[in-house]
Amino acid sequence: MSEGEKTNGRAATRRRRADARGVHHDGAGPDGGLRPEDRERVEEALEQGFVPGGIARSLSGFADRAIRTAAAAIATRVPRADLDERDPDYIRESLPQWWLLASLYWRAEVRGLHHIPEEGGVLLVGNHSGGNMTPDSLVFSLAFDTYFGVERGYYQLAHNLVLSMPWLAFMRKHGTVAANPENAHEALSSGAALLVYPGGDYEVHRPSWESAKVDFGGRKGFIRLALEEDVPIVPVVAIGGQETALFLSRGRWLARLLRLDRLFRLKVLPISIAPPWGLNIGDMLGHLPLPAKITVEALPPIDLKASFGRNPDIDEIYDTILGRMQATLTALQEERRLPLLG
């Protein structure tokens, strides 16, 4: 299938979803006459949780138009960040400089890349560290592209608000896409490798003294994704990211107080001490990560159906994967002598 056909196919899918929700393509309808491109962004915002859909749909008349127009103002500032934005030429040209930076600043070490299948869809499942400026993801992605070559399909899922940060725009060229089911299924069905962090914002902002703990917060959607696409899971374990700042609290209570969980799907509003801000609440502007040593290790692939049967128990798979990852993370922690220095 050509790139144009893929793009047209995704546009058609979005139009069908809009039709199912009663959005009119002639400019009329409950959105108050927004441009078609903005209307699509509003519907995606509602679908992904940027505005509480139940509240929006319960309103009528002026109030309904007002909240949808506000949603458009937010949504049009958030990049789509889909698979088409990955740029192999850009990766090829920038890879040496980025890898030099990672090698010198974080003394990056990546092990076990030979465990990752050389072709076909594969779900890479990692633990996540370092706040909104996550060096473990960057380090692993650089190593993956170096080892397999930039033409190998490779994507990473990330929260839309992270992707909206202007100084992180380069991530989209490296294959970082919006964390939604459409992108996940499309990447795997195309035969690409897809890196996901089930722990998301909950894990990445855990206190620094929990650096050696894998904590997905009970999220198991990645298992269903692998089963539906019939792809192996390769656990990816990293350490060092939680030493790139002093993370004090996830700030879950603060996120609930400010209703960020309803407005932006943010369950946490972290509190940390990080340069250049000192006390850093929310990490919305990012921070300068400290030069902690980053070590990443890919484990042998797990064929879920071969290992757990044709009708596997999701909880058993979850416990097994977390157990293997935790054992590896504990071993990596035991290798380290001092914080930051590794």
Side-chain angles (χ1 to χ4, degrees), residues 144-216:
F144 184 99
D145 288 328
T146 300
Y147 186 88
F148 290 101
V150 300
E151 300 302 331
R152 167 79 188 273
Y154 169 60
Y155 301 94
Q156 318 88 43
L157 298 186
H159 196 287
N160 295 60
L161 291 182
V162 173
L163 290 167
S164 69
M165 296 178 178
W167 52 92
L168 296 180
F170 72 94
M171 294 171 55
R172 302 199 295 277
K173 293 186 177 183
H174 278 268
T176 303
V177 299
N180 60 53
E182 181 181 349
N183 281 336
H185 284 284
E186 186 174 349
L188 292 174
S189 63
S190 72
L194 177 67
L195 176 63
V196 300
Y197 292 108
D201 55 359
Y202 179 79
E203 183 177 41
V204 81
H205 295 297
R206 70 192 185 281
S208 290
W209 49 89
E210 296 181 8
S211 175
K213 180 181 179 181
V214 180
D215 192 350
F216 290 173

